[in-house]
Amino acid sequence: MKGMKDLKYKLTTGDYVFNSINYVVLTLFTLTCVIPFYYLFINTISDNTLVTKGLIVWLPQGIHFANYIQILKIDGLFNSVLVSVGRTVLGTVLTLVGTTFLGYAFSRPEFWKRKIWYRFVLITMYFNAGIIPWYINMKNLGLLNNFLAYIIPSIVAPFSLILFKTYVESIPSSLEESADMDGAGYMTKYARLIMPLSKPIVATLAVFSAVGQWNSFTDTLFLMTDPKYYSLQYMLYQYLNESNALADSLRQAAAAGSQVNLATVLTPTGVKMTISMVVVIPILCVYPFLQRYFVNGIMLGAVKG
Amino acid sequence: MSSPLLILVFVFSYMPLYGWIYSFYDYKAGRDLFSTDFVGLKNFKMMFTDHYAVTNILRVMKNTLGMSFLGIVTSVFPMIFAILLSEIRNLRFRKTIQTLVTIPNFISWVLVYSIAYAMFSTNDGLLNRILINNGIRDEGINFLASGNHVWLTMLGYGIWKGLGWGAIIYIAALTNIDAEQYEAARIDGAGRLKMTWHITIPGLLPTFFVLLLLSIGNLLNNGMEQYFVFQNAMNKDSIEVLDLYVYNQGMVGYDYSFATAVGMLKSVVSVLLLFFANFLSKITRGESVM
């Protein structure tokens, strides 16, 4: 790709036809990726009576943000925001510490039986016992209805470990040798030398982990029966499926607010769309800024993996 | 400092293997495992002899392999997409497209379902609204509850979600193709089509084959999340893949023992497929994929 754009030559008719079709095809596909988010967004900020009538299709009308404020008042929703944010922050930090430390350790040739232990970790990417044994195991460990179930099992992430180990091995060993001369131990070298040098890859892994935590849904489905531990994704799933529960919480929320303005009162559709936006907005905000990091991260991984 | 981490791996990835023991018992939920009957291979025999179980497993296997196969057939799409993208000369346009099409990869299947709902539902779906507002139809079409073409719609959602992300690895591979090859081809009078055919595609094929081989190992692992969120009474029969079947039997139907047996067999077959893919890779490419 790099080389091709330097080649300047006259375009033939065929090239023009191809280029036009290419632009059209790519633009259409891109629109299918963007329009749904846009459509959800304009519906959540428009007059709810117009939304119910199906009149909000291309542009928002009667703009208000009451949906977003009301939705946090629905029973349990604010709590699920806390659960999702909590598991994302804690889970990401712990994964980064655990995975990068182990990755660093595996990059040290003097690690006892290093190859065996490395395989011991990697095999888990391809092989698992199945969901029922996994569930039984979690149950035996007392991790049903336990917030720790969200964060402890993900501390060592094998795929991230490969990426990190590959990256660390590309750091010139002379740097570590000079740290050795200064009498630095492994912990010091890890914290003061390796981590600062690995910022790009650590950023990549942070995005992977955070997105994974934020999007995770089946672990709530399997492990949590107490609404206290419901994540935002699970709430969204419930609201997409259970119209009764939805109507109930709306009634409660409506009872809590005294003035009634039909244009801003949440409707079941409004709830579904607004939670969807609450779930997706953090990703849309963070993602474009971090994109180039993980594109590079994937390329690094592709070399090895 | 490393040992606690290795213990964690053991606890969460190896200890579950103990649960395989459930497949040899006639376990009833809520009772102590060892107070229930040891039945040996009964649950495994059931999979191949019990009429009801056999019918179901054949149906589920058909869904699993059918959808995996469609996924493999369409796995050339990311490569084509990357090539089309590379033909765009306007750098800003190219970057914008690349950023936007990758977004769906970062949302959960629940959210994909929510978006499908917003686009296609009978009452609030954008598509039906356009059809009704413009007088093309009097009432909406219920796209989501339809049992027809489920494999294809599931494939469509999968492509929508994964295409941009899948293309990244090919975009990386494209930058590794030596620019001099293109220049030499230019001098020999090759057009863009010829260059794509003789340089770009051969340059990307090794990457394609590695991914193809890996997908053999994942033939039975199409996960359950997507199919779980999209399942409904109308499409249930053709959407239930192996993982979802195990979930429905074990977690919903409380038949732990039978579900464990099915899951066990699936894990074992998957590993065999992975070794097979690795073997194929060794004889065709001279290196292993694992």
Side-chain angles (χ1 to χ4, degrees), chain B residues 77-272:
Chain B
F77 285 10
M79 186 168 90
I80 295 171
F81 183 77
I83 293 174
L84 290 181
L85 202 62
S86 73
E87 291 290 331
I88 299 278
R89 298 301 153 92
N90 182 332
L91 194 69
R92 180 172 293 175
F93 184 77
R94 195 165 75 200
K95 292 270 174 211
T96 310
I97 298 261
Q98 208 197 321
T99 304
L100 295 177
V101 298
T102 322
I103 290 174
N105 178 67
F106 289 93
I107 64 174
S108 67
W109 277 111
V110 181
L111 208 63
V112 175
Y113 178 65
S114 172
I115 280 170
Y117 187 87
M119 292 291 108
F120 304 124
S121 78
T122 325
N123 300 320
D124 315 308
L126 175 64
L127 197 58
N128 277 320
R129 280 183 179 182
I130 294 173
L131 291 178
I132 294 168
N133 291 357
N134 292 308
I136 297 169
R137 283 193 56 106
D138 292 334
E139 52 186 273
I141 309 165
N142 197 346
F143 297 100
L144 291 167
S146 164
N148 301 327
H149 320 299
V150 178
W151 289 10
L152 290 179
T153 48
M154 286 303 115
L155 179 71
Y157 291 121
I159 291 173
W160 180 78
K161 193 174 189 291
L163 189 65
W165 183 251
I168 286 183
I169 197 157
Y170 292 107
I171 291 167
L174 274 168
T175 60
N176 286 334
I177 298 177
D178 193 350
E180 278 178 25
Q181 286 192 48
Y182 290 107
E183 274 168 55
R186 282 290 320 146
I187 292 163
D188 291 344
R192 278 163 76 187
L193 193 66
K194 277 217 156 116
M195 289 201 277
T196 305
W197 187 251
H198 292 290
I199 303 170
T200 312
I201 292 180
L204 295 183
L205 278 180
T207 310
F208 177 74
F209 280 122
V210 172
L211 296 178
L212 188 69
L213 289 170
L214 280 175
S215 66
I216 295 176
N218 281 323
L219 222 48
L220 299 183
N221 295 317
N222 31 24
M224 64 163 267
E225 214 174 326
Q226 176 184 3
Y227 311 104
F228 176 80
V229 292
F230 277 97
Q231 73 176 347
N232 57 45
M234 302 294 288
N235 64 22
K236 200 162 190 265
D237 277 350
S238 28
I239 208 173
E240 203 176 31
V241 293
L242 202 49
D243 286 322
L244 185 56
Y245 177 70
V246 171
Y247 170 81
N248 285 336
Q249 294 298 310
M251 303 295 293
V252 182
Y254 294 111
D255 195 349
Y256 278 32
S257 296
F258 181 66
T260 307
V262 177
M264 245 173 101
L265 216 60
K266 194 207 102 171
S267 295
V268 172
V269 173
S270 292
V271 168
L272 291 178

Side-chain angles (χ1 to χ4, degrees), chain A residues 27-45:
Chain A
T27 307
L28 282 179
F29 183 69
T30 308
L31 284 178
T32 67
C33 294
V34 177
I35 287 177
F37 297 103
Y38 172 74
Y39 176 74
L40 279 175
F41 182 64
I42 60 169
N43 272 276
T44 55
I45 60 166

Side-chain angles (χ1 to χ4, degrees), chain A residues 57-290:
Chain A
V57 174
W58 301 119
L59 288 171
Q61 286 175 52
I63 294 177
H64 69 98
F65 294 94
N67 284 348
Y68 289 88
I69 299 161
Q70 287 183 60
I71 206 146
L72 293 180
K73 291 185 194 153
I74 293 180
D75 246 12
L77 236 151
F78 182 67
N79 184 61
S80 71
V81 171
L82 289 183
V83 170
S84 279
V85 171
R87 66 176 292 183
T88 302
V89 173
L90 276 173
T92 304
V93 170
L94 286 178
T95 302
L96 285 183
V97 173
T99 302
T100 57
F101 188 84
L102 199 57
Y104 167 60
F106 282 149
S107 78
R108 309 300 316 144
E110 67 271 23
F111 191 96
W112 183 70
K113 302 277 184 204
R114 167 170 86 134
K115 279 199 172 142
I116 294 174
W117 289 117
Y118 188 49
R119 292 221 171 101
F120 171 81
V121 176
L122 294 202
I123 286 171
T124 63
M125 284 203 309
Y126 300 102
F127 181 74
N128 61 66
I131 50 176
I132 309 292
W134 169 79
Y135 170 80
I136 294 167
N137 186 48
M138 295 299 273
K139 190 177 166 186
N140 291 342
L141 293 169
L143 290 174
L144 300 192
N145 284 324
N146 186 337
F147 182 76
L148 294 176
Y150 287 139
I151 53 177
I152 295 186
S154 65
I155 288 178
V156 179
F159 181 69
S160 300
L161 194 145
I162 299 179
L163 292 181
F164 190 78
K165 176 177 172 277
T166 313
Y167 189 91
V168 170
E169 282 169 350
S170 75
I171 296 173
S173 57
S174 53
L175 279 172
E176 255 193 88
E177 280 156 22
S178 67
D180 282 335
M181 304 257 230
D182 296 339
Y186 288 117
M187 285 309 289
T188 321
K189 281 191 287 183
Y190 165 74
R192 309 274 297 271
L193 184 74
I194 301 296
M195 285 304 269
L197 285 172
S198 313
K199 266 181 203 149
I201 192 78
V202 173
T204 307
L205 304 185
V207 175
F208 285 164
S209 166
V211 170
Q213 284 284 358
W214 184 257
N215 281 340
S216 186
F217 153 72
T218 38
D219 49 7
T220 314
L221 174 76
F222 283 118
L223 306 173
M224 310 300 180
T225 48
D226 184 345
K228 201 163 64 172
Y229 301 107
Y230 286 176
S231 61
L232 209 43
Q233 303 278 352
Y234 190 72
M235 293 297 261
L236 174 62
Y237 175 75
Q238 282 203 318
Y239 281 139
L240 287 170
N241 282 282
E242 295 167 17
S243 43
N244 290 341
L246 196 57
D248 281 349
S249 20
L250 284 179
R251 240 171 273 133
Q252 285 170 11
S258 48
Q259 342 111 284
V260 177
N261 174 1
L262 273 183
T264 57
V265 166
L266 260 178
T267 59
T269 309
V271 176
K272 290 171 191 170
M273 289 180 164
T274 312
I275 305 184
S276 303
M277 284 315 291
V278 172
V279 172
V280 84
I281 283 172
I283 292 177
L284 293 186
C285 290
V286 179
Y287 159 76
F289 301 103
L290 294 167

